[in-house]
């Protein structure tokens, strides 16, 4: 159990081991996840804990190990508020905590103890036994209660870690943690990019690696004759990140020392936390001249391809080109290569370094500015945090969190935007196999998959369709939101995945779900008149590359064309399946786990054009970026910015796109854009004469929708509208006449036309 | 999908009655309140008054489903090959059709209406979830006057249903047993969602 935890722990801190109580010293290695500390404490620690407990007047053990973990008391308070457990204050427990043996020599113990007191209090509130679990929970504080939408905090903590290495022996680790805590939660707005929470120890390691590589690169650069300019970027970064008095100065010095003239080494936003906003600063600080960096010539590139590029060189070149591109006028030589050549080289390097095929690299690159694109690619290399969703049909988030903590899981609420999400940092038991999981108390689900359901917001007693629902995370969420009332149709076209869909539905105790195995395009033929429809459509998966790296190589232009075609069909079917006269609903939510415009805004735009009675409405999600109103020359509906986009590098969730559409009843307006109809205008009454059979189908389904009640299904009630039939018959007649060159409409042809009319009606 | 015939109904109800006794009538007449409402975060009490509808039993491809009427009617629009599941699957009939077997998916209803319950200690949860029988050492509580060979629902100490089974001895006899003897024969547990996920549906 402890093995995995150990693997994930932070690298050993450069400080002296504290002599004293084994468990406490072990635990006090702040960053280490508590399960590690828990082990010694739980096994041997009975006695040690007892000893500590004594002075602490039976305060739970959490106090002991957690002293090292400290982060701002504010964090605890936040967590308290989040879980709404403790009413207590009890700040005055300092004395008891001071009884910890062996830590007295550390000067910062006082602050620790104070924090510990609060933590102990809180811990006491949360769980009265199971020290280890409590430990882990406490440890989490230091990681900051990172809501997924709050990369700034993470940034800051990472900065804090960096400062640890920098200062190398300044203070105890506790001191470091202290400072982190003191800096406060609401960190300084370090731009964007947070690396995943559970990767933080790795990040620290990576950071070390990055610095080492930076040094190596400096050597490399020097050897290649580039002049190195000193950059204070990292110093600036750190300063921004921490914002507290003494440290930044230290860091700058340290960094300057370490990096020497290696200004370019610091450019590696690839490996460090990605500072988009700092790019600008770096540019100013860098002032790299065109002379010092030149694009490799054609021969050089050929040679590189033959012999295989050195990844470090490639990476360096990437950062340099990004730098140049971000300030092209100033940094590129006037007579040098054009911007497109730089971009070309950059794309080649990206393909080489990250492993994309050229088409996809270009597609993704064009979504962002060059620097942000690099961040995006970098973020795709690391996994996003594991998130679970509480099943409100069976339990409460607070109770579930408690139960899981008792089992040894490190977790926290996932963000302000959700009341049911929990982010799992580390777990000593398999999170997908706990008794709570089996009892259906939660579901493993990516954070971005919450969004479509939150946007759809189904009300109790509604009729909802989920067109592509396997493995069932969203359908079960919808069912839970409706509190097992109404009906949810969970459809999936893949028979093999239907099994896991049904299993999940039953496991989570959703009683109002009907599972069917249709192709989504068969709705609304199968059944229409839903109040809400969720279409999480099959896509290329460019937003979840971190989960499935094969996407990098195997998605081609053809794939995008096929998928876009399918998505367009599906979204039209989804729109047609909605009852526009629904009292409480009439919404379609279209979502994909892709960031490509082909599959996102294009599809929505297509739907809006094809169905003029549909309009975009706000999604109700308060984070994320708006959709693109225009892209590469294509202009979309002006309301497209009501859609939401989220990205891995900006929001630390899988890339996602979300659009919410409201379907209005179709008004009886004659369509202007069909010449045939223009000819029939005199004859057409009421509804528009069909361009083809689709409109008739839509009309039919709409008739059904308008009448529908309990028994839906088209078998119920066609209202035959004689007027409309007339119009249709006339239209069909006209068409036949035109085709035949205006032959006289004899009785025979009239008969045929009637048959034709009937057929088209039935279609 | 079709309603159950009389024979089938008899088989199903007698099986259910093993575990919930005469509470079967609640299932038959229910308005769908059979959820662990005490634990649910949101619980609307006015469900019964609103059109929640009657819950009914339906047979589809050898499996018996317990679903509310409105959903059942809507599901009628789905063709037989394409319909996979509706409401809650309670269990399935054997190929010859004369035996009915309850599945773990019915646990929710069983645990709500169960006549006899067995609570097991935390250290006994995992062995049971792996498919083992419940031994006396893991026994936390047991309802009084449980007869021998009675259907029981197995719960954890915190009240979460874990599965169901059949008692090996009556409550009275259980007291005399030594700690390693089996007191509840395992029949189904929630671990099957992982172990048997391929065969469950």
């Amino acid at each position: 159990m402890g093995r995995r935890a150990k693997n994930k722990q932070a690298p050993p801190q450069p400080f002296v081991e504290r002599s004293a109580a084994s468990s406490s010293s072990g635990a006090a290695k702040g960053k280490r996840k508590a399960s590690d500390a828990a082990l010694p404490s739980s096994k041997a620690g009975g006695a040690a804990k007892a000893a500590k407990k004594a002075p602490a007047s039976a305060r739970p053990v959490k106090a002991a190990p957690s002293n090292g973990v400290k982060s701002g008391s504010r964090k605890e308070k936040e967590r308290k508020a989040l879980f709404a457990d403790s009413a207590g204050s009890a700040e005055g427990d300092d004395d008891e905590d001071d009884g910890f043996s062996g830590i007295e020599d550390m000067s910062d113990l006082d602050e620790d103890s104070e924090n510990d007191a609060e933590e102990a209090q809180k811990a006491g509130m949360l769980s009265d036994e199971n020290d280890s679990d409590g430990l882990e929970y406490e440890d989490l504080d230091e990681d900051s209660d990172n809501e997924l939408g709050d990369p700034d905090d993470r940034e800051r903590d990472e900065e804090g870690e960096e400062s640890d290495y920098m200062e190398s022996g300044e203070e105890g680790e506790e001191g470091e943690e202290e400072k982190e805590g003191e800096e406060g939660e609401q960190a300084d707005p370090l731009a964007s990019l947070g690396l995943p929470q559970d990767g933080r120890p790795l990040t620290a390691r990576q950071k070390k690696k990055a610095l080492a590589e930076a040094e190596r690169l400096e050597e490399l650069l020097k050897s290649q004759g580039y002049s190195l300019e000193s950059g204070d970027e990292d110093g600036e970064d750190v300063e921004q990140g921490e914002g507290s008095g003494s440290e930044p100065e230290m860091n700058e010095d340290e960094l300057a020392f370490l990096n020497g003239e290696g200004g370019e080494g610091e450019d590696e936003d690839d490996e460090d936390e990605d500072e988009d906003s700092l790019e600008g600063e770096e540019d100013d600080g860098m002032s790299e001249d065109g002379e010092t960096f030149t694009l490799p010539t054609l021969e050089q590139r050929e040679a590189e391809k033959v012999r295989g590029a050195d990844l470090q060189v490639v990476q360096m070149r990437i950062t340099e080109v990004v730098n140049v591109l971000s300030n092209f006028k100033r940094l590129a030589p006037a007579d040098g290569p054009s911007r497109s050549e730089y971009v070309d080289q950059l794309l080649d390097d990206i393909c080489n370094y990250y492993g994309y095929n050229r088409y996809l690299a270009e597609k993704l690159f064009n979504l962002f500015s060059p620097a942000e694109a690099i961040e995006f690619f970098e973020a795709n290399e690391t996994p996003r945090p594991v998130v679970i969703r509480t099943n409100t049909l069976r339990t409460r988030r607070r109770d579930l969190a408690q139960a899981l903590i008792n089992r040894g899981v490190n977790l926290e609420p996932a963000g302000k935007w959700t009341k049911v999400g929990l982010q799992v940092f580390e777990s000593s038991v398999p999170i997908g196999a706990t008794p709570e999981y089996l009892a259906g108390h939660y579901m493993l689900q990516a954070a971005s998959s919450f969004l479509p359901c939150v946007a759809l917001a189904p009300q109790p007693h509604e009729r909802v369709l989920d067109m592509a629902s396997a493995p069932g995370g969203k359908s079960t969420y919808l069912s839970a939101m409706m509190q097992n009332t109404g009906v949810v149709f969970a459809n999936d076209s893949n028979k093999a995945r239907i099994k896991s869909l049904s299993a999940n539905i039953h496991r989570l105790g959703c009683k109002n779900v009907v599972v069917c195995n249709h192709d989504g395009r068969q709705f609304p033929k199968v059944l229409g008149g839903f109040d809400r429809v969720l279409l999480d459509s099959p896509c290329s998966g460019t937003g979840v590359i971190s989960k499935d790296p094969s996407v990098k190589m195997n998605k081609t232009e053809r794939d995008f064309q096929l998928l876009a075609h399918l998505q367009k069909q599906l979204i039209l079917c989804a729109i047609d399946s909605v009852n526009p006269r629904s009292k409480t609903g009439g919404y379609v939510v279209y979502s994909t786990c892709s960031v490509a415009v082909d599959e996102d805004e294009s599809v929505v735009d297509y739907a809006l054009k094809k169905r003029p009675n549909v309009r975009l409405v706000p999604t109700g999600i308060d984070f994320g970026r708006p959709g693109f109103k225009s892209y590469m020359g294509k202009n979309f509906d002006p309301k497209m910015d009501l859609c939401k986009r989220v990205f891995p590098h900006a929001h630390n969730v899988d890339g996602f796109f979300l659009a919410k559409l409201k379907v209005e009843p179709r008004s009886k307006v004659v369509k202007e854009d069909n010449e045939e109809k223009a000819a029939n205008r005199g004859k057409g009454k009421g509804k528009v004469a069909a361009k083809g059979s689709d409109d008739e189908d839509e009309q039919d389904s709409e008739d059904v929708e308008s009448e529908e009640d309990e028994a839906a299904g088209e078998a119920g009630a066609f209202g035959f509208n004689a007027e409309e039939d007339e119009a249709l018959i006339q239209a069909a007649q006209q068409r036949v006449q035109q085709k035949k060159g205006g032959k006289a409409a004899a009785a025979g042809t009239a008969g045929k036309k009637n048959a034709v009319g009937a057929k088209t009606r039935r279609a | 999908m079709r309603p159950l015939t009389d024979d089938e109904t008899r088989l199903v109800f007698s099986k259910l009655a093993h575990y919930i006794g005469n509470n079967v009538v609640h299932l038959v007449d229910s308005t769908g309140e059979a959820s662990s409402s005490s634990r649910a975060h949101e619980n609307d009490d006015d469900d019964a008054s609103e059109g929640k509808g009657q819950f009914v039993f339906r047979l589809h491809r050898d499996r018996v489903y317990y679903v509310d009427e409105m959903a059942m009617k809507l599901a009628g629009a789905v063709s037989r090959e394409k319909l996979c599941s509706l409401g809650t699957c309670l269990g399935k009939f054997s190929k010859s059709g004369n035996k009915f077997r309850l599945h773990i998916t019915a646990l929710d209803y069983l645990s709500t209406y169960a006549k006899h319950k067995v609570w097991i200690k935390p250290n006994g949860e995992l062995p049971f979830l792996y498919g083992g029988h419940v031994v006396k050492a893991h026994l936390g509580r047991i309802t009084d006057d449980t007869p021998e060979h009675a259907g029981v629902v197995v719960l954890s100490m915190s009240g979460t249903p874990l599965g169901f089974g059949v008692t090996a001895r009556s409550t009275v006899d259980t007291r005399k047993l030594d700690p390693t003897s089996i007191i509840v024969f395992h029949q189904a547990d929630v671990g099957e969602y992982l172990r048997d996920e391929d065969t469950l549906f």
Side-chain angles (χ1 to χ4, degrees):
Chain A
M1 151 167 131
R3 262 167 303 163
R4 288 196 318 181
K6 279 202 185 105
N7 288 342
K8 291 190 182 156
Q9 84 191 37
Q13 301 301 319
F15 302 118
V16 58
E17 290 281 327
R18 263 186 300 273
S19 54
S22 52
S23 55
S24 65
S25 59
K29 297 302 184 215
K31 312 247 177 14
R32 186 171 310 160
K33 295 303 174 192
S35 54
D36 203 26
L39 268 192
S41 57
S42 60
K43 287 179 189 158
K49 278 189 221 143
K52 278 182 214 106
K53 264 185 189 159
S57 68
R59 201 133 280 293
V61 175
K62 278 146 220 109
S66 59
N67 54 16
V69 180
K70 227 14 303 84
S71 307
S73 50
R74 239 176 295 168
K75 279 187 188 149
E76 291 158 48
K77 292 212 180 86
E78 259 192 60
R79 181 161 318 151
K80 279 188 199 170
L82 282 166
F83 282 160
D85 267 339
S86 65
S89 45
E91 311 277 326
D93 288 329
D94 297 3
D95 304 330
E96 295 158 8
D97 295 331
D98 278 341
F100 294 139
S101 52
I103 313 189
E104 278 110 8
D105 46 339
M106 305 307 285
S107 54
D108 5 27
L109 194 55
D110 293 339
E111 301 179 55
D112 277 352
S113 57
E114 182 187 315
N115 292 331
D116 292 336
E118 292 177 26
E119 238 185 326
Q121 173 75 13
K122 166 130 186 88
M125 294 287 173
L126 282 181
S127 82
D128 294 325
E129 41 181 353
N130 295 342
D131 317 329
S132 50
D133 312 320
L135 283 180
E136 285 160 13
Y137 188 69
E138 300 308 319
D139 258 353
L140 215 49
D141 277 342
E142 119 192 37
D143 291 340
S144 90
D145 38 355
N146 276 324
E147 335 242 337
L148 285 178
D150 218 356
D152 299 349
D153 279 346
R154 275 192 296 280
E155 278 292 297
R156 188 182 46 75
D157 283 342
E158 283 157 10
E159 294 293 354
E161 281 178 58
E162 184 180 23
S163 77
D164 299 344
Y165 295 113
M166 292 308 105
E167 294 164 14
S168 63
E170 271 288 317
E171 302 153 349
E173 294 171 16
E174 290 175 334
E176 291 159 8
E177 264 86 88
E178 291 300 294
K179 290 220 169 67
E180 282 180 37
E182 287 166 51
E183 284 144 23
E185 327 295 312
Q186 319 327 331
D188 324 26
L190 238 205
S192 55
L193 256 273
L195 288 175
Q197 186 61 28
D198 52 354
R200 242 171 28 102
L202 293 177
T203 306
R205 251 183 268 137
Q206 272 183 2
K207 202 155 305 201
K208 235 185 175 172
K209 221 178 25 172
L211 286 161
E213 264 201 49
E215 295 176 31
R216 244 182 305 140
L217 281 168
E218 292 156 33
E219 304 308 314
L220 189 63
L221 286 174
K222 280 190 222 157
S223 68
Q224 295 189 356
Y226 289 138
S227 78
L228 300 169
E229 325 236 346
S230 76
D232 291 327
E233 299 90 9
D234 274 351
E236 295 167 7
D237 305 348
V238 173
E239 183 170 45
Q240 283 198 345
E242 302 186 338
S244 62
S246 56
E247 286 193 328
E249 299 153 334
M250 222 96 62
N251 295 328
E252 277 172 62
D253 293 345
E254 289 283 338
L255 284 167
F257 168 72
L258 266 182
N259 302 323
E261 305 94 355
E264 290 162 6
E266 302 324 305
D267 249 328
E268 296 166 36
D269 39 351
D270 297 313
E271 302 194 291
D272 292 341
E273 49 265 5
D274 322 334
E275 296 114 359
D276 194 13
S277 67
L278 294 171
E279 273 294 310
E281 290 169 70
E282 285 174 47
D283 289 342
D284 297 335
M286 282 286 304
S287 64
E288 178 179 10
D289 298 340
E291 302 91 66
T292 60
F293 168 66
T294 50
L295 285 181
T297 65
L298 207 54
E299 296 85 28
Q300 285 176 348
R301 287 170 73 169
E302 295 299 320
E304 205 178 72
K305 276 189 196 130
V306 164
R307 103 181 100 96
D310 177 11
L311 284 182
Q312 284 175 2
V313 172
V314 170
Q315 186 194 30
M316 197 181 55
R317 205 161 52 212
I318 287 177
T319 54
E320 288 178 24
V321 173
V322 165
N323 204 20
V324 168
L325 284 175
S326 48
N327 208 332
F328 199 72
K329 277 202 189 96
R330 189 148 59 92
L331 295 174
D335 56 346
S338 68
R339 192 182 179 102
S340 58
E341 288 179 32
Y342 275 96
V343 170
D344 191 50
Q345 173 67 36
L346 181 58
L347 285 172
D348 264 352
D349 286 339
I350 287 173
C351 297
N352 219 343
Y353 187 72
Y354 293 107
Y356 288 78
N357 62 15
R358 177 62 187 237
Y359 178 74
L360 194 60
E362 195 162 346
K363 206 184 221 339
L364 297 173
F365 183 79
N366 288 331
L367 286 167
F368 312 102
S369 69
E372 201 182 347
I374 300 298
E375 287 174 29
F376 174 76
F377 290 125
E378 268 301 315
N380 282 338
E381 301 297 313
T382 54
R384 302 279 80 75
V386 174
V387 170
I388 62 179
R389 170 176 63 80
T390 323
N391 179 18
T392 50
L393 294 173
R394 290 252 165 98
T395 183
R396 266 185 278 248
R397 179 165 76 164
R398 182 190 327 160
D399 300 338
L400 173 67
Q402 189 53 55
L404 284 177
I405 287 166
N406 290 345
R407 295 219 180 261
V409 181
N410 247 346
L411 46 72
E412 258 192 13
K416 294 192 188 64
W417 49 275
T418 175
K419 288 205 183 62
V420 294
L422 284 166
Q423 186 177 346
V424 175
F425 297 105
E426 192 171 353
S427 170
S428 50
V429 294
I431 193 76
T434 60
E436 282 79 26
Y437 176 82
L438 295 172
H441 287 197
Y442 63 91
M443 171 97 184
L444 284 168
Q445 189 172 8
S448 47
S449 298
F450 289 40
L451 299 178
C453 304
V454 172
L456 189 67
Q459 306 301 312
H461 305 296
E462 278 190 346
R463 219 173 291 175
V464 179
L465 169 66
D466 185 353
M467 276 174 120
S469 51
K474 299 186 184 71
S475 305
T476 49
Y477 194 10
L478 293 176
S479 176
M481 287 166 99
M482 295 159 69
Q483 294 154 35
N484 256 339
T485 62
V487 186
V488 175
F489 265 71
N491 177 62
D492 199 85
S493 56
N494 186 338
K495 188 130 183 135
R497 299 182 78 200
I498 288 277
K499 282 192 183 180
S500 69
L501 171 62
S502 303
N504 276 326
I505 285 169
H506 280 88
R507 181 172 62 81
L508 273 89
C510 302
K511 300 189 169 59
N512 60 344
V513 183
V514 176
V515 180
C516 51
N517 181 23
H518 287 285
D519 184 330
R521 294 170 280 189
Q522 287 171 1
F523 288 91
K525 270 200 186 94
V526 169
L527 190 58
F530 289 97
D531 292 310
R532 295 177 200 246
V533 175
L534 173 65
L535 173 55
D536 184 44
S537 88
C539 66
S540 58
T542 50
V544 290
I545 290 176
S546 53
K547 275 195 205 148
D548 178 18
S550 66
V551 168
K552 288 193 237 176
M553 278 314 244
N554 62 15
K555 293 296 177 208
T556 61
E557 184 170 1
R558 181 102 182 103
D559 287 324
F560 281 94
Q561 282 171 352
L562 290 171
L563 283 165
H565 181 70
L566 172 64
Q567 288 157 351
K568 287 170 180 161
Q569 290 178 310
L570 283 172
I571 196 175
L572 286 185
C573 291
I575 289 171
D576 295 337
S577 305
V578 174
N579 174 13
R581 296 195 182 79
S582 154
K583 287 188 218 65
T584 54
Y587 293 99
V588 175
V589 167
Y590 173 78
S591 67
T592 59
C593 56
S594 166
V595 294
V597 174
D598 288 356
E599 304 178 304
D600 298 344
E601 283 92 350
S602 290
V603 172
V604 175
D605 196 58
Y606 172 84
L608 292 172
K609 289 199 170 73
K610 281 278 188 175
R611 297 284 184 270
N613 58 324
V614 170
R615 61 185 171 91
L616 278 165
V617 295
T619 57
I621 307 281
D622 57 2
F623 75 101
R625 297 189 195 166
F628 295 128
K629 278 206 267 214
S630 64
Y631 181 75
M632 294 210 136
K634 281 178 283 201
N635 288 322
F636 302 126
D637 191 282
K639 288 231 177 143
M640 199 63 74
D641 55 357
L642 290 173
C643 308
K644 284 288 185 202
R645 278 174 164 274
V646 289
F647 296 104
H649 61 283
H651 309 99
N652 202 19
V653 293
D654 294 319
F656 220 72
F657 170 83
L658 206 59
K660 187 169 179 182
L661 306 161
K662 173 97 175 80
V663 182
E664 310 281 352
R666 291 169 59 159
S667 54
K668 299 180 188 276
V669 180
V670 177
K671 282 202 191 131
E672 303 288 332
D673 52 352
N674 191 328
E675 291 174 15
E676 280 181 41
K677 281 192 236 104
N680 300 333
R681 179 104 9 110
K683 312 228 170 74
K685 304 179 215 169
K687 286 273 172 97
V688 173
K691 279 193 293 186
S693 53
D694 348 349
D695 281 359
E696 285 158 349
D697 282 345
E698 290 156 31
Q699 286 181 8
D700 289 345
S701 60
E702 197 178 334
D703 287 340
V704 171
E705 288 157 17
S706 60
E707 301 183 7
E708 80 141 16
D709 208 24
E710 283 259 330
E714 297 177 336
F718 273 128
F720 279 116
N721 184 341
E723 285 182 359
E724 293 174 17
D725 290 351
E726 271 294 310
L728 292 175
I729 293 174
Q730 297 287 357
Q733 279 175 344
Q734 288 283 340
R735 250 178 275 133
V736 169
Q737 276 180 342
Q738 282 168 5
K739 273 193 200 143
K740 299 206 171 151
K743 271 197 201 145
T749 49
K752 259 188 261 166
K753 280 169 226 147
N754 280 337
V756 168
K759 265 197 233 135
T760 51
R761 218 188 3 263
R762 235 181 282 125
Chain B
M1 168 175 40
R2 62 170 173 81
L4 300 176
T5 64
D6 286 342
D7 285 337
E8 289 162 353
T9 315
R10 204 165 6 112
L11 281 170
V12 173
F13 284 6
S14 61
K15 197 64 178 229
L16 286 171
H18 271 145
Y19 298 88
I20 63 181
N22 51 17
N23 284 333
V24 179
V25 70
H26 285 202
L27 279 186
V28 175
D29 293 339
S30 95
T31 54
E33 293 299 325
S35 56
S36 35
S37 47
S38 58
R39 264 194 304 282
H41 179 50
E42 294 136 291
N43 182 27
D44 34 340
D45 303 313
D46 51 331
D47 244 11
S49 54
E50 279 226 79
K52 188 99 169 36
Q54 200 34 330
F55 270 64
V56 293
F57 294 87
R58 284 295 178 268
L59 182 74
H60 177 66
R61 291 202 233 164
D62 282 351
R63 287 174 192 262
V64 175
Y65 294 94
Y66 184 63
V67 60
D68 78 303
E69 256 185 293
M70 181 179 70
M72 185 264 301
K73 287 193 185 139
L74 291 176
V78 181
S79 67
R80 192 178 173 276
E81 312 84 55
K82 303 287 190 184
L83 181 65
C84 297
S85 157
L86 56 159
T88 313
C89 171
L90 290 179
K92 75 176 191 190
F93 284 101
S94 62
K95 282 281 188 300
S96 53
N98 52 9
K99 279 192 276 250
F100 176 70
R101 201 187 158 80
L102 274 177
H103 281 178
I104 187 61
T105 48
L107 183 63
D108 212 28
Y109 293 107
L110 291 185
S111 65
T112 322
Y113 294 119
K115 283 274 159 126
H116 307 290
K117 300 183 185 174
V118 170
W119 287 260
I120 54 177
K121 297 189 196 146
N123 55 352
E125 282 175 19
L126 271 186
F128 182 70
L129 290 180
Y130 275 104
H133 302 296
V134 181
V135 296
K136 172 129 184 273
H138 294 150
L139 178 67
R141 274 166 64 192
I142 183 168
T143 44
D144 283 339
D145 72 5
T146 313
E148 206 174 345
H149 302 314
V152 288
V153 171
V154 177
L155 305 118
S156 72
M157 284 316 282
S158 52
T160 331
L162 294 176
F164 51 87
V166 176
T167 51
R169 303 294 184 90
S170 65
T171 312
V172 178
D173 292 338
T174 308
R175 300 209 180 95
K176 304 179 204 145
L177 290 175
D178 58 310
T180 56
S181 48
I182 297 175
I183 49 164
V184 173
F185 293 119
H186 163 286
Q187 283 185 333
D189 68 274
V190 284
E192 284 173 20
Y193 282 117
L194 281 186
R195 293 202 308 275
D196 299 340
E197 52 188 346
D198 295 330
T199 55
L200 203 50
F201 284 99

